[in-house]
Amino acid sequence: MPPAVREFPDAAALAHAAARRFVAEAAQAAAARGRFAVALSGGSSPSRLYELLASQAYRGQVDWARVHVFWGDERCVPPDHADSSFRLAHAALLEHVPLPEENVHRIAGEAEPKRAADDYDRELRSFFRGQAGFDLILLGLGADGHTASLFPESPALLEAERWAVAVEHTRPPPPLVTRITLTLPVINAAQLIVFLVVGESKAERLRAVLAGADLPAARVRPATGRLIWLTDFAARAGPAG
Ligand code: 6PG
């Protein structure tokens, strides 16, 4: 099934649409499975969404006690480091909502990477215990076509068994630190995958990915779930003129 692409005038309108989708999916998953397991994305695109979900406008619409928060990837830095994806989500969202601490499944960016990947892989398998996969995975699109921390030509793209792996990251885009990332098998097992793509700098890659170019983000094809691209006009139109 071709991915659905929804365009919005600007990043604010896109963030509101993403927040409404988050609220709806959380309610549906909690009713159907008693929990809403979501993998958050790092980067700058989702930060407005996180702030909206923490705001009066949306916070009360989510049963946070049933929400389990994971990450699609993490930089191998301590959780209070400026590059930490956990820190970004914690400051914008997690510290503002009544999410039980045990429902925060943080990737141990401060640990030795292979050990952190093994621990996260084990935690994922224990949590899902053969049930349906993530209810929602939020992803961004890098200027090189990467998503999560699945970069072009990375061996991690070929991982068919493990759900989480450590990846070296030595060329742009920054930060040039080792990462822990979900792999395609667990991403493509999600019920719903939503890409958030903002800004004209992504337009060329977005066009290429949607046209089926062999880029990591184009390998996100849910087996039975839904795939939705939320983009702003700038990301669809590209540089003005
Ligand atoms: C990360 C993200 C990464 C991000 C893209 C887009 O840890 O950096 O997981 O995949 O989503 O690089 O980043 P922006 O939203 O900042 O453009």
Side-chain angles (χ1 to χ4, degrees):
M1 179 164 61
V5 182
R6 305 256 189 285
E7 297 179 31
F8 299 89
D10 52 35
L14 187 156
H16 277 280
R20 289 192 297 271
R21 173 66 67 164
F22 185 103
V23 166
E25 294 299 325
Q28 185 187 17
R33 286 178 287 281
R35 52 81 167 160
F36 175 57
V38 55
L40 301 181
S41 169
S44 57
S45 301
S47 48
R48 275 174 186 255
L49 165 61
Y50 299 160
E51 289 160 5
L52 276 182
L53 290 172
S55 72
Q56 290 289 357
Y58 292 94
R59 180 173 53 222
Q61 298 180 48
V62 176
D63 181 356
W64 295 100
R66 292 176 181 265
V67 177
H68 283 264
V69 170
F70 296 79
W71 276 262
D73 64 328
E74 182 57 279
R75 292 83 177 271
C76 291
V77 295
D80 58 355
H81 188 284
D83 287 337
S84 165
S85 297
F86 165 81
R87 179 177 179 271
L88 169 93
H90 187 261
L93 173 58
L94 303 186
E95 67 179 352
H96 305 289
V97 294
L99 186 71
E101 206 170 310
E102 63 273 18
N103 290 20
V104 179
H105 305 269
R106 184 177 70 84
I107 301 173
E110 70 280 18
E112 188 278 323
K114 175 87 175 59
R115 165 72 184 278
D118 290 347
D119 290 348
Y120 194 48
D121 189 287
R122 201 170 16 258
E123 182 163 3
L124 288 162
R125 291 176 191 278
S126 162
F127 179 84
F128 289 108
R129 283 190 304 279
Q131 297 171 33
F134 278 102
D135 298 296
L136 172 61
I137 296 182
L138 295 173
L139 291 174
L141 175 65
D144 59 353
H146 82 264
T147 192
S149 283
L150 297 169
F151 294 94
E153 298 156 35
S154 167
L157 290 166
L158 305 176
E159 178 58 53
E161 300 301 326
R162 292 178 57 86
W163 289 11
V165 292
V167 295
E168 290 306 317
H169 181 52
T170 56
R171 59 183 190 207
L176 303 186
V177 293
T178 304
R179 314 284 190 95
I180 309 296
T181 186
L182 291 182
T183 57
L184 289 169
V186 67
I187 291 173
N188 285 329
Q191 306 287 320
L192 172 63
I193 301 167
V194 174
F195 274 93
L196 305 176
V197 185
V198 173
E200 68 180 19
S201 68
K202 302 292 175 69
E204 183 203 338
R205 287 298 176 185
L206 178 58
R207 262 196 302 278
V209 168
L210 293 177
D214 186 18
L215 292 166
R219 297 192 185 193
V220 173
R221 300 186 204 96
T224 57
R226 293 161 290 152
L227 172 57
I228 301 176
W229 290 80
L230 302 184
T231 74
D232 66 351
F233 287 168
R236 285 294 268 159

